[in-house]
Amino acid sequence: MTDPRIPDDDPRLRELLARLPDAQEPARDLWPEIHARVEAERVQELPVAGGARRGRRMIPLRFAAAAAIVLVAGTATLTWWSRPTGFPVVTDSMATATYSFASYERSAEELSTLLAQRSAKLDPATREVLERSLRTIEEALAEARAALAREPASAEMRAFVEAAWRQKLDFLRRANDVAATWVL
Amino acid sequence: MRRLLMIVLAVALVVPALGAQRAVDQRWALDSDGAVKIYNYVGRVRVVGWDRDSVVVTGSVAPGVRIFGGGSRAAVKLGAEGGQRGAADSAVLLVRVPVGANVWVRGAATDIEIEGLVGSVDVGTVSGRLTLRGSPRSAIVETMNGALLVRGAPTVLRAKTATGSLTFDGAAAEAVLGTVSGRVEVRAGPLGRVRIESVAGDVDLEAALQTDGDVTIETHSGNVDARVPKSNIPRVHVRSFRGTVRVHEG
């Protein structure tokens, strides 16, 4: 195939063109730079107000109205379901207390596992002291939990359970500290 | 005659043992507010603040035990090493540090005494006695079954034991004192914001409160006896699951 732009009467030029390789790499690889610029331009900070306005326009009014009806109806249903029915209602503070006991329990489990691994290094007398103290705390915790189970609405009983958990965690932390540094 | 024989025998046993102890005398330069870490798992450590910018450790160690140490002007670490497995491997150390140094000590079967420091103090031992005298900026002192005594006025104090007794004879702006079954005794004052907790240990408080101070005492089965000036009584809050509680003028 001949290039129509090259005159037939220029054999020298044709010879030079014939010597050229089929492909020629540029002396400087420009692709990384171009790629970086393209990537940089892909993520752009948008003005917050403008963006919000655009977003708002995208929700048709009828959908917004439907969502509002669903929200109101849902809230009303939940309120009706959670009305006093003779069963104890779970209040926010009780939910928080339950949650915090669960987190105490998880932390205690982790610390106990760690202590069990580390306590093999301890001498029997020290291990006995740690176990005895832990038993004392466990007994107190069990007693306080039983009292709270009898009086679930009692803030005082909840405080005793929380105190026992705090003491257990603090003791486990200290026992781990002892076991971790023990070299005898 | 039998008594004389016993004495001779005792001397014969003790003298070689004493002779086997090796003397310790090492020193390092340290900034006046530098940090010092000390390890000694068996024996005794006494840390005393002085007005020089250096750390000096003297004392004696059992055969097989040696003192390591080093660091910079900002921090020095030292301690006993060589396998301390029992009373026969003890190290008895007197460590002098700048009065403003921040001191950290760990022991196991180790009696520890801290005196005359104004920086921060963090000390822990297991079965040894722990005594803190002086008024450090902050103090964390903890034992398991060893007795703990704090005498002085640390600004902030955290003192804990498990079965060991805890005695605080002094003042503090903020303090948390706690035991599992050890008895807690607090004397003197004035006390700022203080919390005393024990699972099964009795608490005995006889102290005055600062004008804005308040004391909270919480036990599970330990008995509480708090004696404070009449005007302080409303600021003493006590709660015990099944211990007896007595708050009165004293």
Side-chain angles (χ1 to χ4, degrees), chain B residues 205 207 209 213-217 226 228 232-238 247:
Chain B
L205 169 81
L209 274 58
D214 64 80
V215 174
T216 300
I217 304 171
V228 293
N232 291 169
I233 289 176
R235 286 183 281 131
V236 177
H237 314 286
V238 184
V247 180

Side-chain angles (χ1 to χ4, degrees), chain A residues 98-163:
Chain A
T98 309
Y99 170 77
S100 62
F101 291 161
S103 75
Y104 282 134
E105 217 159 311
R106 272 197 304 278
S107 303
E109 208 173 297
E110 284 167 20
L111 287 168
S112 298
T113 305
L114 204 57
L115 182 62
Q117 290 162 5
R118 289 171 168 170
S119 63
K121 287 193 298 178
L122 295 170
D123 74 316
T126 302
R127 204 178 310 146
E128 202 274 324
V129 168
L130 298 186
E131 283 169 1
R132 184 153 40 102
S133 295
L134 206 50
R135 270 199 307 277
T136 304
I137 298 171
E138 294 281 10
E139 284 164 13
L141 181 58
E143 249 183 341
R145 289 174 83 164
L148 180 60
R150 285 192 299 272
E151 301 175 54
S154 166
E156 196 180 14
M157 291 306 141
R158 222 165 29 241
F160 281 121
V161 175
E162 278 198 57

Side-chain angles (χ1 to χ4, degrees), chain A residues 20 26 34 45 47 57 79-80 84 96 100 117 126 130 144 147 153 155 177:
Chain A
L20 283 174
I34 294 164
E45 276 191 28
R57 272 194 214 109
T79 309
W80 183 81
T96 306
S100 62
Q117 290 162 5
T126 302
L130 298 186
D177 190 28

Side-chain angles (χ1 to χ4, degrees), chain A residues 126 129-130 133 136-137 140 143 147 157 159-160 163 166-167 170-171 173-175 177-178 181-184, chain B residues 41-42 84-85 108 126 142-145 158 160-163 180 195 197-199 218 220 239-242:
Chain A
T126 302
V129 168
L130 298 186
S133 295
T136 304
I137 298 171
E143 249 183 341
M157 291 306 141
F160 281 121
R166 273 201 315 275
Q167 277 157 339
D170 185 59
F171 182 79
R173 179 198 60 75
R174 292 177 52 214
D177 190 28
V178 166
T181 53
W182 191 269
V183 294
L184 295 181
Chain B
Y41 293 101
V42 182
Q84 291 183 293
R85 299 192 183 282
V126 179
E142 298 184 346
T143 74
M144 281 294 173
N145 53 334
R158 177 191 156 92
K160 298 258 175 171
T161 76
T163 59
V180 176
R195 182 173 181 83
E197 298 172 327
S198 182
V199 179
E218 197 165 77
H220 183 81
R239 189 162 56 195
S240 180
F241 185 80
R242 60 177 169 83

Side-chain angles (χ1 to χ4, degrees), chain B residues 6-21:
Chain B
M6 293 284 280
I7 292 169
V8 170
L9 189 63
V11 170
L13 287 170
V14 168
V15 167
L18 287 176
Q21 294 278 320

Side-chain angles (χ1 to χ4, degrees), chain B residues 46-70:
Chain B
R46 187 165 166 237
V47 183
V48 180
W50 67 353
D51 58 0
R52 298 184 197 175
D53 289 355
S54 59
V55 175
V56 174
V57 54
T58 54
S60 59
V61 294
V65 177
R66 69 177 197 92
I67 296 300
F68 71 89

Side-chain angles (χ1 to χ4, degrees), chain A residues 1-32:
Chain A
M1 185 175 287
T2 58
D3 190 332
R5 291 171 300 178
I6 301 171
D8 286 337
D9 58 350
D10 193 345
R12 192 173 160 271
L13 184 59
R14 285 196 172 279
E15 189 191 332
L16 285 172
L17 283 171
R19 278 192 218 162
L20 283 174
D22 291 331
Q24 177 73 45
E25 291 292 327
R28 185 170 145 238
D29 186 1
L30 297 172
W31 175 240

